[in-house]
Amino acid sequence: MIWYPYEQMKTMKAPYKIVDANGVYLYTKDSKLIDSVSSWWSVIHGYKHPELNQAIISQAEKFAHVMLGGLTHEPVQKLSEKLQSWLPGDLDYCFFSDSGSVAVEVALKMALQYFMNRGEEQRTMILALEHAYHGDTFKTMEAGDDEDYHFVLKAYGPSRYVVHIPTNIEALEKAFMKYHHRLNCFIVEPLLQGAGGMRMYDVSFLKKARELCDRYGVLLIFDEVATGFGRTGNRFAADLVLPDILVLGKALTGGYIGHGVTVANRKVYEGFYDDNPEHALMHGPTFMGNALACSVALKSIELFEKHDYMSKIRRIEEITRREMKDLSDYRIKEIRIMGGCVCIEVKDSASLKGYQQFAYERGVFSRPFLKYLYAMVPYVIKEEELVKVLDTMKEWFN
Ligand SMILES: Cc1ncc(COP(=O)(O)O)c(C=O)c1O
């Protein structure tokens, strides 16, 4: 028996059973659906991509996996070299994990231990954003701020280790003034907060955060598990403002295999690099650097560059703005668009009830949550397919 995610199993509606997938389409036994969710925002090249498939097949013929404890291999070496040259600044040191949540855990552990290694053991606190989502493991839940997902944490009472602030500069300055000597890091989903409601904010906030982190010696962590690889209309938000630690996941493997990476800059890496064995980073997921995941990630990045995905994303944003321009309805609170993400926030979640089935009947797979009806399409989507996704959203309010 499968226990499905985020569902009350007693009342959940039967999931659609997918029997095939190709390009932007998911196939059930008798229907064809455009996937407007990109399998939780990860399938940027669409399904059954011949080159991605081949990358996995070729690697599987050699070996699928060997552990990184005491062993290494070409796909993981090549991927870390590629990320080192492709990512901005001195974000050069790649620690691989098997999921986005674990990669964020690693980032938070790195930040804490970085200061422990320096003898600054009082720096136990994390600054994070209201409505943040960083994963479903315990420390990521604590850094997150979404009771709809993580109400189980209430059992522990308020955390002494995390402070949440809204995305405004005044609150940011106040938090640094008050807590700077106890903070080890400030973690954000830069520009776009995904699971917390597709909330968008300005780069000036990140610039200020960088300035304050520098002033008070706090590490800045960008969780780009969702925003990375173009989703905000930037390749990475880290191209605009440089963090000390960058976390990637989801689209890293083109959505083929769960994998994440925590990329540290030189300063952070050097905080661990010395003769003291206790200063080593004590972490090592069994499947870190999985050879299939690394091979497909390399191919995914190659496609991203070769086919100028940034221009595809700009086009998606342009079409979305054009199509959504005239939509207004008494039930809608706000329409937000950024890069390859569009979100309609409604005033009352009841007005989205039934939307999934409505979309299904029109050939679109969608999964609204709470008050948010959104699309994060695969970047290979054609104009008419994207218009169909957006028309379906608009038709719901007609
Ligand atoms: C910003 C962010 N961080 C971390 C995660 C967790 O990634 P995973 O589901 O691969 O553990 C997610 C997943 O949605 C995310 O959106």
Side-chain angles (χ1 to χ4, degrees), residues 41 99-102 104 133-135 189 195 223 225-226 250:
W41 328 335
S99 72
S101 298
V102 175
V104 175
Y133 178 88
H134 295 293
E189 294 158 85
D223 173 356
V225 169
K250 291 189 187 282

mmCIF file of all heavy atoms in Angstrom, residues 41 99-102 104 133-135 189 195 223 225-226 250, ligand 1:
data_model
loop_
_atom_site.group_PDB
_atom_site.id
_atom_site.type_symbol
_atom_site.label_atom_id
_atom_site.label_comp_id
_atom_site.label_asym_id
_atom_site.label_seq_id
_atom_site.Cartn_x
_atom_site.Cartn_y
_atom_site.Cartn_z
ATOM 1 N N TRP A 41 8.424 20.836 -10.333
ATOM 2 C CA TRP A 41 9.295 21.909 -10.815
ATOM 3 C C TRP A 41 10.676 21.419 -11.269
ATOM 4 O O TRP A 41 11.618 22.190 -11.381
ATOM 5 C CB TRP A 41 9.475 23.021 -9.757
ATOM 6 C CG TRP A 41 8.278 23.223 -8.880
ATOM 7 C CD1 TRP A 41 6.976 22.925 -9.175
ATOM 8 C CD2 TRP A 41 8.229 23.749 -7.552
ATOM 9 N NE1 TRP A 41 6.140 23.238 -8.138
ATOM 10 C CE2 TRP A 41 6.892 23.743 -7.117
ATOM 11 C CE3 TRP A 41 9.208 24.234 -6.680
ATOM 12 C CZ2 TRP A 41 6.488 24.190 -5.854
ATOM 13 C CZ3 TRP A 41 8.805 24.682 -5.428
ATOM 14 C CH2 TRP A 41 7.465 24.658 -5.019
ATOM 15 N N SER A 99 18.954 14.356 -2.117
ATOM 16 C CA SER A 99 17.719 15.133 -2.306
ATOM 17 C C SER A 99 17.976 16.585 -1.936
ATOM 18 O O SER A 99 19.002 16.913 -1.316
ATOM 19 C CB SER A 99 16.601 14.587 -1.412
ATOM 20 O OG SER A 99 16.862 14.926 -0.064
ATOM 21 N N GLY A 100 17.021 17.433 -2.280
ATOM 22 C CA GLY A 100 17.132 18.847 -1.940
ATOM 23 C C GLY A 100 17.133 19.063 -0.438
ATOM 24 O O GLY A 100 17.926 19.843 0.092
ATOM 25 N N SER A 101 16.249 18.368 0.274
ATOM 26 C CA SER A 101 16.176 18.540 1.734
ATOM 27 C C SER A 101 17.509 18.214 2.384
ATOM 28 O O SER A 101 17.991 18.952 3.247
ATOM 29 C CB SER A 101 15.121 17.606 2.343
ATOM 30 O OG SER A 101 13.853 17.892 1.846
ATOM 31 N N VAL A 102 18.097 17.115 1.968
ATOM 32 C CA VAL A 102 19.368 16.718 2.586
ATOM 33 C C VAL A 102 20.459 17.721 2.215
ATOM 34 O O VAL A 102 21.302 18.076 3.047
ATOM 35 C CB VAL A 102 19.750 15.273 2.188
ATOM 36 C CG1 VAL A 102 21.123 14.908 2.737
ATOM 37 C CG2 VAL A 102 18.716 14.304 2.715
ATOM 38 N N VAL A 104 20.042 20.855 1.816
ATOM 39 C CA VAL A 104 19.852 22.016 2.700
ATOM 40 C C VAL A 104 20.350 21.672 4.114
ATOM 41 O O VAL A 104 21.024 22.480 4.758
ATOM 42 C CB VAL A 104 18.373 22.475 2.742
ATOM 43 C CG1 VAL A 104 18.190 23.598 3.756
ATOM 44 C CG2 VAL A 104 17.903 22.929 1.367
ATOM 45 N N TYR A 133 10.228 27.718 2.837
ATOM 46 C CA TYR A 133 10.155 26.257 2.746
ATOM 47 C C TYR A 133 11.528 25.761 2.314
ATOM 48 O O TYR A 133 12.060 26.186 1.285
ATOM 49 C CB TYR A 133 9.094 25.808 1.729
ATOM 50 C CG TYR A 133 9.057 24.297 1.606
ATOM 51 C CD1 TYR A 133 8.257 23.531 2.445
ATOM 52 C CD2 TYR A 133 9.873 23.631 0.688
ATOM 53 C CE1 TYR A 133 8.253 22.154 2.372
ATOM 54 C CE2 TYR A 133 9.876 22.251 0.603
ATOM 55 C CZ TYR A 133 9.069 21.514 1.442
ATOM 56 O OH TYR A 133 9.072 20.145 1.370
ATOM 57 N N HIS A 134 12.114 24.854 3.110
ATOM 58 C CA HIS A 134 13.442 24.344 2.756
ATOM 59 C C HIS A 134 13.501 22.827 2.731
ATOM 60 O O HIS A 134 14.598 22.268 2.631
ATOM 61 C CB HIS A 134 14.489 24.893 3.738
ATOM 62 C CG HIS A 134 14.656 26.378 3.653
ATOM 63 N ND1 HIS A 134 15.177 27.005 2.542
ATOM 64 C CD2 HIS A 134 14.333 27.380 4.520
ATOM 65 C CE1 HIS A 134 15.193 28.320 2.741
ATOM 66 N NE2 HIS A 134 14.678 28.575 3.918
ATOM 67 N N GLY A 135 12.335 22.166 2.858
ATOM 68 C CA GLY A 135 12.336 20.712 2.828
ATOM 69 C C GLY A 135 11.546 20.157 3.997
ATOM 70 O O GLY A 135 11.039 20.913 4.836
ATOM 71 N N GLU A 189 15.222 31.368 0.186
ATOM 72 C CA GLU A 189 14.923 30.996 -1.193
ATOM 73 C C GLU A 189 14.971 32.339 -1.930
ATOM 74 O O GLU A 189 14.093 33.181 -1.733
ATOM 75 C CB GLU A 189 13.509 30.433 -1.312
ATOM 76 C CG GLU A 189 13.247 29.126 -0.618
ATOM 77 C CD GLU A 189 11.748 28.946 -0.332
ATOM 78 O OE1 GLU A 189 11.021 28.479 -1.211
ATOM 79 O OE2 GLU A 189 11.309 29.300 0.782
ATOM 80 N N ALA A 195 7.098 26.838 -2.149
ATOM 81 C CA ALA A 195 6.031 26.125 -1.450
ATOM 82 C C ALA A 195 5.322 26.995 -0.415
ATOM 83 O O ALA A 195 4.208 26.691 -0.003
ATOM 84 C CB ALA A 195 6.600 24.868 -0.800
ATOM 85 N N ASP A 223 19.067 28.845 -0.929
ATOM 86 C CA ASP A 223 18.445 27.571 -1.259
ATOM 87 C C ASP A 223 17.798 27.748 -2.632
ATOM 88 O O ASP A 223 16.688 28.268 -2.751
ATOM 89 C CB ASP A 223 17.403 27.212 -0.188
ATOM 90 C CG ASP A 223 16.588 25.978 -0.559
ATOM 91 O OD1 ASP A 223 16.771 25.451 -1.671
ATOM 92 O OD2 ASP A 223 15.751 25.559 0.263
ATOM 93 N N VAL A 225 17.100 25.258 -4.645
ATOM 94 C CA VAL A 225 16.557 23.952 -5.061
ATOM 95 C C VAL A 225 15.409 24.175 -6.053
ATOM 96 O O VAL A 225 15.323 23.509 -7.083
ATOM 97 C CB VAL A 225 16.088 23.149 -3.824
ATOM 98 C CG1 VAL A 225 15.282 21.923 -4.229
ATOM 99 C CG2 VAL A 225 17.297 22.735 -2.987
ATOM 100 N N ALA A 226 14.563 25.172 -5.768
ATOM 101 C CA ALA A 226 13.447 25.461 -6.673
ATOM 102 C C ALA A 226 13.795 26.551 -7.686
ATOM 103 O O ALA A 226 13.379 26.492 -8.837
ATOM 104 C CB ALA A 226 12.218 25.875 -5.864
ATOM 105 N N LYS A 250 16.323 19.376 -7.487
ATOM 106 C CA LYS A 250 15.252 19.327 -8.491
ATOM 107 C C LYS A 250 15.775 19.270 -9.934
ATOM 108 O O LYS A 250 16.077 18.209 -10.438
ATOM 109 C CB LYS A 250 14.308 20.507 -8.302
ATOM 110 C CG LYS A 250 13.480 20.406 -7.022
ATOM 111 C CD LYS A 250 12.417 21.466 -6.976
ATOM 112 C CE LYS A 250 11.675 21.510 -5.663
ATOM 113 N NZ LYS A 250 10.667 20.490 -5.500
HETATM 114 C C1 LIG B 1 13.282 25.663 -1.875
HETATM 115 C C2 LIG B 1 13.261 24.190 -1.592
HETATM 116 N N1 LIG B 1 14.216 23.647 -0.840
HETATM 117 C C3 LIG B 1 14.267 22.333 -0.584
HETATM 118 C C4 LIG B 1 13.305 21.483 -1.092
HETATM 119 C C5 LIG B 1 13.365 20.015 -0.772
HETATM 120 O O1 LIG B 1 13.792 19.271 -1.855
HETATM 121 P P1 LIG B 1 13.476 17.702 -1.914
HETATM 122 O O2 LIG B 1 12.011 17.568 -2.092
HETATM 123 O O3 LIG B 1 14.278 17.207 -3.093
HETATM 124 O O4 LIG B 1 13.962 17.114 -0.636
HETATM 125 C C6 LIG B 1 12.294 21.999 -1.892
HETATM 126 C C7 LIG B 1 11.239 21.127 -2.441
HETATM 127 O O5 LIG B 1 10.208 21.547 -2.903
HETATM 128 C C8 LIG B 1 12.263 23.392 -2.148
HETATM 129 O O6 LIG B 1 11.285 23.946 -2.888
#
